[in-house]
Amino acid sequence: MSTWELNVSRKALEDALVLVTKDIRVKKPPKPKDKQIEPIRFDFSGGFLDIIGPSTARSVHANGTWPASVRADAVMMKQLAPRLPLGDPLKLKIEASRLHVGGLSIGVEVLDIAPEAILFPAEATTGDLLAAVERHGAPRVLMSTAAGALDKANLAMARDVAAAANHLADYGVTRAEVEAIVRLGLRRKAGIN
């Protein structure tokens, strides 16, 4: 059984966790029909711990040892962010598939090999990026492209959905209906039936 430990700045870790979990809504208890929330991923390379959430990522300086990749429940990470123990630097320790931060412990999935990156052509469109998110999940897409590109794609889709809903409002079409049609189109583009 392997043990890994990293030292990170408490403030940098808190800021990163708050950022990458900002879009996660905590529901109690989750309903079966609720969309599964992508886990938060922690990758360590070159002195940086990359913390990758469903729609954004942040890197923080760290030192120590870490497996290829670690995935943790996003809701638990959102709840942990404002409750980090005092002390600087903080020690993150993984032992027996548990992430220990001070006296807190959370179950994690330790991946020995990081998921393979997706190759996008230089002329990839907003639709291509968002279809890849539907097929592979935001963390894997974020591994393959800059977080800014994915943020721009999400903003462009939101802008286009709002404009289409505005144009169709006289016909009784709502924004939610337009967004559902766009998501269906993205799923088709991604080859998901």
Side-chain angles (χ1 to χ4, degrees), residues 43-155:
D43 297 343
F44 179 63
S45 177
F48 287 94
L49 179 64
D50 298 323
I51 304 170
I52 305 164
S55 62
T56 191
R58 173 68 61 94
S59 295
V60 298
H61 288 282
N63 60 55
T65 61
W66 202 251
S69 188
V70 174
R71 295 175 4 141
D73 181 86
V75 173
M76 294 293 287
M77 289 292 106
K78 182 174 186 78
Q79 293 171 343
L80 173 66
R83 295 176 177 86
L84 288 172
L86 297 176
D88 199 20
L90 281 180
K91 182 183 288 187
L92 306 181
K93 180 178 178 181
I94 296 179
E95 188 173 42
S97 295
R98 307 275 315 163
L99 170 63
H100 302 272
V101 184
L104 305 171
S105 170
I106 297 169
V108 294
E109 179 184 7
V110 177
L111 304 173
D112 291 329
I113 300 172
E116 189 175 322
I118 303 163
L119 298 178
F120 289 103
E123 64 277 359
T125 65
T126 296
D128 294 334
L129 287 176
L130 296 175
V133 169
E134 290 292 324
R135 181 164 188 79
H136 303 288
R140 187 161 171 210
V141 172
L142 279 169
M143 282 182 47
S144 310
T145 188
L150 189 54
D151 288 343
K152 284 181 185 177
N154 281 316
L155 288 172

